[in-house]
Amino acid sequence: MGRPKNQAARREALVDAAGRAIAERGLEGLRIKDIAAEAGMSAGSVLYYYPEMDELVLEVHRGAVERYVAARHASTDPVTDPVERLRALIGSGQPHGAGDPQHSLLYELHRRAERSTGHAALMASLFAREVALYTTVLEVGAVAGAFTLAEPAADVARNLVALEDGYGLHIVSRNTQVTPDEARQLILGYARAATGCAHL
């Protein structure tokens, strides 16, 4: 008798493969056979686990959001100094370049938000979680005396996330007028003004 198939592992492998295919080809031209080739499976196997492409793409989006948030926490949670923690958080939010797979995938998937409540909810959730992360770092820094906030922490946090998103979109869109280092320095400039911390 053959071993029972690990359906959870197969589904996870398909989600990973679909994510790679979307990052490489974009959503518009995505086909089942592209995902199958990336996963090393047949097109029939893809359809067995995900009869609807939209369901698979939503799972890719969900996974991409979770990995991104986890990576941001991993970059900042071990840092105890408030100034260094904010600097690390800002550094974790920018694409490394036009080919950054994580950011490229997220921006591509966010495009679905206009037509899909599921994708819109994931995009809103990511924004809220990033704002919460920044708000915590800012409030802790203010209590510690490292920051003198010019505005409420939540407002500064929302602006920082919006700046990240805006510059990040230009970077992954290959706008040569904005480099990752320039974007980071500009965001740090806003953070210095908003926190009253010249050492950022």
Side-chain angles (χ1 to χ4, degrees), residues 109-182:
L109 291 165
H110 286 348
R111 293 173 54 205
R112 285 281 177 104
E114 184 182 354
R115 299 181 301 277
S116 163
T117 55
H119 288 283
L122 285 169
M123 186 176 175
S125 169
L126 175 57
F127 183 78
R129 291 165 74 179
E130 290 180 286
V131 168
L133 180 54
Y134 265 114
T135 300
T136 298
V137 171
L138 291 165
E139 288 178 343
V140 169
V143 169
F147 304 143
T148 303
L149 300 178
E151 300 170 340
D155 290 350
V156 176
R158 288 165 67 92
N159 283 332
L160 285 166
V161 175
L163 284 169
E164 286 179 348
D165 288 348
Y167 283 124
L169 180 59
H170 283 280
I171 291 166
V172 300
S173 300
R174 304 184 187 280
N175 182 347
T176 57
Q177 297 183 62
V178 183
T179 69
D181 186 59
E182 287 170 338

Side-chain angles (χ1 to χ4, degrees), residues 23-149:
E24 290 172 13
R25 299 171 179 84
L27 280 167
E28 290 177 8
L30 186 66
R31 299 168 299 180
I32 292 291
K33 70 177 188 178
D34 297 326
I35 299 168
E38 195 73 43
M41 298 180 186
S42 68
S45 293
V46 176
L47 291 170
Y48 173 79
Y49 289 103
Y50 288 100
E52 298 294 331
M53 177 78 87
D54 287 347
E55 181 189 353
L56 176 54
V57 173
L58 190 63
E59 282 300 311
V60 172
H61 198 171
R62 186 174 292 112
V65 165
E66 292 304 322
R67 285 191 303 275
Y68 183 65
V69 172
R72 299 205 74 173
H73 275 283
S75 296
T76 57
D77 289 353
V79 183
T80 55
D81 177 76
V83 176
E84 291 305 315
R85 194 173 185 200
L86 182 54
R87 181 182 287 275
L89 183 54
I90 290 170
S92 74
Q94 285 297 291
H96 301 299
D100 185 299
Q102 188 175 47
H103 284 85
S104 295
L105 178 60
L106 281 169
Y107 282 115
E108 185 72 20
L109 291 165
H110 286 348
R111 293 173 54 205
R112 285 281 177 104
E114 184 182 354
R115 299 181 301 277
S116 163
T117 55
H119 288 283
L122 285 169
M123 186 176 175
S125 169
L126 175 57
F127 183 78
R129 291 165 74 179
E130 290 180 286
V131 168
L133 180 54
Y134 265 114
T135 300
T136 298
V137 171
L138 291 165
E139 288 178 343
V140 169
V143 169
F147 304 143
T148 303
L149 300 178

